Amino acid sequence: LRGGVTSSFDASIGHYGVDIAADEGAAVSAVYDGTIVLASFTSDGGYVIQIQHANNLVSVYKHNAALLKKQGDRVEAGDIIAVAGNTGEYTDGPHPHFELWYNGTPLDPQAFIAFSS
């Protein structure tokens, strides 16, 4: 997914990822090879997908319109896993919310990935 960051990581307020400007319906791709460990709907995050990667790294993708993979699916970096949307209570327009976690600790995705429009 290409798009600029509209809201940055800020652990002090519980925003453990970045919000990315995107059109509703845009393809959301896996950032790295891994296995889908969660593909579900939650009231706050809407349609959420989580991928377990090597070395205790987990990526999280929230507010999707639809999920294209299910729990247990193996994915490779670049595989389309979801469709960008506006689902869940914590959204005010189409914007994928993306998180990275390492050993249970949230990381600032902008320290590892260059986001651009």
Side-chain angles (χ1 to χ4, degrees):
L1 178 73
R2 295 193 182 269
V5 172
T6 59
S7 184
S8 296
F9 177 93
D10 187 348
S12 70
I13 62 168
H15 193 252
Y16 297 117
V18 295
D19 295 338
I20 305 163
D23 292 331
E24 193 155 359
V28 176
S29 301
V31 294
Y32 193 58
D33 300 351
T35 301
I36 306 296
V37 293
L38 175 74
S40 185
F41 184 87
T42 67
S43 61
D44 62 340
Y47 288 102
V48 178
I49 198 161
Q50 293 181 0
I51 304 173
Q52 175 70 58
H53 307 286
N55 301 316
N56 293 322
L57 183 67
V58 174
S59 58
V60 182
Y61 313 75
K62 296 181 178 181
H63 306 309
N64 298 291
L67 304 178
L68 304 178
K69 301 292 182 181
K70 63 184 183 316
Q71 186 174 351
D73 286 351
R74 178 90 179 130
V75 296
E76 295 182 8
D79 284 355
I80 298 172
I81 58 171
V83 176
N86 185 28
T87 61
E89 295 173 11
Y90 297 149
T91 182
D92 56 6
H95 74 277
H97 172 87
F98 175 73
E99 300 176 1
L100 283 177
W101 293 75
Y102 175 70
N103 283 337
T105 301
L107 304 174
D108 182 351
Q110 290 182 280
F112 304 93
I113 299 171
F115 295 91
S116 62
S117 45

